[in-house]
Amino acid sequence: MGDKEKFFEHIEQGYTMKGDYITMGAAMLEGETITNAFVKIPLKTLNRHGLIAGATGTGKTKTLQVLAENLSDKGIPVLLMDLKGDLSGIAQPSPGHPKIDERHEKIGLPFEAKGFPVEILSLSEQNGVRLRATVSEFGPVLLSRILDLSETQEGIVAVVFKYCDDNKLPLLDLKDFKKVLQYATGDGKEEFQESYGRISTSSTGTILRKIIELEQQGADLFFGEKSFDVEDLVRIDENGRGYVNIIRLTDIQDRPKLFSTFMLSLLAEIYSTFPEQGDSDRPELVLFIDEAHLIFDNASKALLDQIESIVKLIRSKGIGLYFVTQNPTDVPDDVLAQLGLKVQHALRAFTAKDRKAIKLTAQNYPITEFYDTAEVLTSLGTGEALVSALDEKGRPTPLAATMMRAPMSRMDVLTDSELKEVLNQSKLIKKYNEEIDRESAYEILNAKMERAEREAEKEREKEKSTSTRRTTTSRRSTRMNPVVKVLTSATFIRGVMGVLKKVMR
């Protein structure tokens, strides 16, 4: 049996699926595509998370698009983090191209152009469904992790949340939280000390500075009402296709703190909301995090621990997380170890550091007799990738250099008029884009302080009035007292007589 026949049999046996699956493309050997040697990913293991990596221009975004489209076609909703602004074209069918036809002929897979149901979401003032969460929903632990607080400062945050719970003070936005902090070491100092212990002004000052730093990255737009219900991410359209939810993040690329704040909040909310799924045949929701290094680069140890915990736990809820980045080393080892699917596009060896990174990357893939993995990583063309997945029993599938299928939708952004049409059809914009600023901790504490000030002013006026009456009474008493009158008269007479004596001399 020749190498090609042996390789074909190897791929065919390794990718035999009993359940539903997504076809990624066809396997390649020595640069040649083996027609019908399909590389497949079972839906059953798509909640085991994954990585899409590769140098700029090698096809990462198109791979993300292919996965999102096929998931939608299978009735599985998707959430995409669009930091480069080039994913909205999923709403429109591909215009087609001779090179696409040529690619699919090599793969042995028919090409069908189609658009998909899309919902545009926004964290900022860009057009789209506004994503918000209240400070209360965020919780003291997650807020402390994001702010990178010390243990003592975390304790203060926990006390603030407890005080607000005990006194029915809604913590909706950051101005609410700041107001309670200021109150705790100001007008409410005695109240806090009596019930919760003394709070250091230096610690609250540090916390306030970190909140201001978060606000400067735009977090004041994220915290507030109306809170986004994560159940709205798992909608299915009238044709049974899952919605592709695209979060427009082009204007927060330089604000990693806001991005990681949002990501952790979203994942924590999904984990707490979605039911345990058990050993399901398909995921409930799949999230793709583009430019994933933005989460990890500036993350504290506490924040990384939080991310790792969520990655481990959230798959039991039927949620798949897929990190998209240039190099696998952008993702911490503890997180990388949790990822079942790896789609590795070409890496470039320009420096000794690059060559070292390629060797390390090659070690993350199963050993195969058909490839020198490190060499293949540098020779892959655009739209080609090394694929390693998990089969239906959770075992690694054969490593395959793969000619990736082309996206069925348009590989470009929507025009202004197309975007407007998508937004006009949205049912969620009407639900979430009305700004609500109901009475919360900020207003309640301000009113409380104003009442206290009015009461204090009344007391001051009362004391002033009482003091005036006492003085007046005292003067009257002095004038009416006979003894005083006599003494006063005597003093006056002595003064007059003294003057007269001097004159007579």
Side-chain angles (χ1 to χ4, degrees):
M1 183 184 293
D3 283 347
K4 287 183 182 178
E5 289 81 5
K6 184 181 178 182
F7 178 70
F8 183 87
E9 186 177 309
H10 172 68
I11 294 296
E12 195 174 43
Q13 288 178 353
Y15 286 94
T16 298
M17 307 288 171
K18 293 180 180 179
D20 209 350
Y21 57 85
I22 290 172
T23 301
M24 297 298 294
M28 303 170 64
L29 184 66
E30 297 175 355
E32 182 182 342
T33 305
I34 311 299
T35 305
N36 296 328
F38 295 130
V39 174
K40 307 165 187 174
I41 304 171
L43 296 187
K44 187 179 178 69
T45 63
L46 277 170
N47 67 331
R48 297 291 295 272
H49 314 317
L51 173 75
I52 302 171
T56 300
T58 56
K60 298 189 301 294
T61 302
K62 303 303 176 283
T63 294
L64 182 161
Q65 196 168 339
V66 164
L67 277 167
E69 292 173 345
N70 282 274
L71 286 163
S72 175
D73 247 359
K74 302 288 185 182
I76 299 169
V78 174
L79 179 64
L80 307 180
M81 312 289 169
D82 188 8
L83 278 103
K84 298 191 290 290
D86 51 6
L87 292 173
S88 61
I90 290 177
Q92 294 290 327
S94 167
H97 194 278
K99 287 188 176 180
I100 293 177
D101 297 332
E102 181 184 343
R103 174 179 289 264
H104 274 255
E105 188 175 343
K106 287 180 179 179
I107 294 171
L109 197 66
F111 178 74
E112 180 184 5
K114 61 170 81 171
F116 295 84
V118 163
E119 190 72 66
I120 303 293
L121 314 175
S122 174
L123 266 180
S124 63
E125 293 177 333
Q126 285 186 311
N127 290 331
V129 179
R130 286 294 300 277
L131 296 174
R132 295 187 186 92
T134 66
V135 173
S136 290
E137 289 166 338
F138 217 67
V141 174
L142 203 52
L143 188 62
S144 297
R145 294 287 187 273
I146 286 296
L147 296 175
D148 193 19
L149 302 181
S150 69
E151 190 174 333
T152 300
Q153 293 157 359
E154 283 183 25
I156 291 173
V157 171
V159 165
V160 167
F161 273 79
K162 180 69 167 63
Y163 172 79
C164 291
D165 286 343
D166 291 347
N167 292 274
K168 296 182 172 55
L169 297 176
L171 283 174
L172 304 182
D173 51 29
L174 290 177
K175 77 174 187 292
D176 288 329
F177 189 75
K178 289 194 297 182
K179 190 67 182 179
V180 182
L181 272 178
Q182 291 161 348
Y183 181 74
T185 52
D187 291 4
K189 183 177 180 180
E190 291 182 7
E191 179 187 348
F192 263 80
Q193 188 163 334
E194 183 179 341
S195 302
Y196 305 96
R198 193 175 71 84
I199 292 178
S200 163
T201 53
S202 61
S203 293
T204 56
T206 301
I207 298 169
L208 282 168
R209 286 192 294 274
K210 292 194 175 187
I211 291 172
I212 290 168
E213 179 189 337
L214 196 59
E215 284 179 319
Q216 288 172 341
Q217 293 208 12
D220 53 329
L221 290 172
F222 170 62
F223 287 104
E225 291 185 310
K226 184 175 185 180
S227 296
F228 187 81
D229 183 354
V230 291
E231 293 285 354
D232 282 326
L233 294 175
V234 291
R235 294 184 302 141
I236 307 296
D237 77 352
E238 62 277 8
N239 298 313
R241 298 182 301 173
Y243 265 87
V244 179
N245 303 283
I246 301 173
I247 306 180
R248 304 175 75 190
L249 299 169
T250 53
D251 58 343
I252 69 164
Q253 290 187 45
D254 58 345
R255 291 178 279 174
K257 182 78 79 172
L258 176 58
F259 183 48
S260 55
T261 298
F262 161 70
M263 273 307 307
L264 272 181
S265 168
L266 179 70
L267 294 175
E269 184 68 16
I270 287 172
Y271 179 73
S272 65
T273 302
F274 284 37
E276 289 287 332
Q277 201 178 57
D279 192 19
S280 175
D281 289 333
R282 53 195 289 120
E284 186 76 11
L285 175 70
V286 176
L287 288 75
F288 292 89
I289 304 170
D290 202 1
E291 303 295 333
H293 65 277
L294 290 178
I295 294 180
F296 302 113
D297 281 355
N298 299 305
S300 65
K301 177 67 167 62
L303 190 55
L304 287 174
D305 289 344
Q306 191 80 15
I307 294 170
E308 183 188 344
S309 296
I310 289 177
V311 169
K312 285 179 180 177
L313 297 171
I314 204 168
R315 69 185 183 203
S316 67
K317 303 298 182 96
I319 309 300
L321 292 177
Y322 288 77
F323 300 97
V324 185
T325 191
Q326 291 195 18
N327 199 303
T329 57
D330 294 335
V331 180
D333 289 342
D334 289 338
V335 174
L336 200 61
Q338 305 295 319
L339 309 182
L341 171 66
K342 296 185 178 73
V343 180
Q344 179 66 59
H345 289 269
L347 292 173
R348 306 304 182 208
F350 296 118
T351 66
K353 185 178 179 181
D354 291 338
R355 288 190 288 274
K356 185 178 179 181
I358 287 168
K359 288 181 180 178
L360 289 173
T361 300
Q363 292 171 13
N364 287 321
Y365 290 90
I367 296 172
T368 173
E369 62 179 288
F370 296 101
Y371 303 117
D372 179 336
T373 306
E375 184 180 325
V376 171
L377 282 172
T378 60
S379 61
L380 290 166
T382 301
E384 299 172 359
L386 278 173
V387 177
S388 173
L390 297 176
D391 67 15
E392 291 165 312
K393 294 184 178 180
R395 302 168 302 192
T397 57
L399 181 64
T402 306
M403 171 73 75
M404 307 294 284
R405 65 187 296 175
M408 295 178 275
S409 59
R410 200 165 76 199
M411 293 182 276
D412 199 358
V413 297
L414 295 177
T415 63
D416 289 342
S417 60
E418 289 169 340
L419 178 60
K420 187 176 180 181
E421 184 180 351
V422 170
L423 296 173
N424 287 339
Q425 292 174 354
S426 171
K427 295 178 181 178
L428 298 185
I429 283 181
K430 295 175 183 176
K431 181 177 179 180
Y432 290 109
N433 283 31
E434 178 189 357
E435 287 203 19
I436 301 171
D437 190 14
R438 64 186 173 96
E439 187 178 62
S440 54
Y442 180 84
E443 290 80 13
I444 294 170
L445 285 180
N446 271 339
K448 183 177 181 178
M449 290 160 65
E450 286 170 7
R451 284 195 303 273
E453 180 59 31
R454 285 196 299 270
E455 289 298 321
E457 184 63 31
K458 284 181 183 177
E459 284 297 317
R460 286 193 294 271
E461 288 295 329
K462 187 177 178 181
E463 286 178 9
K464 184 178 178 182
S465 176
T466 303
S467 176
T468 301
R469 284 199 303 273
R470 283 175 183 162
T471 303
T472 304
T473 302
S474 175
R475 285 172 181 168
R476 283 178 186 160
S477 299
T478 301
R479 287 198 299 268
M480 296 302 292
N481 190 318
V483 176
V484 172
K485 279 186 175 182
V486 170
L487 289 173
T488 303
S489 300
T491 303
F492 174 75
I493 290 167
R494 281 198 301 271
V496 171
M497 291 303 290
V499 171
L500 287 174
K501 284 180 182 178
K502 286 180 181 179
V503 171
M504 289 174 69
R505 284 177 191 164

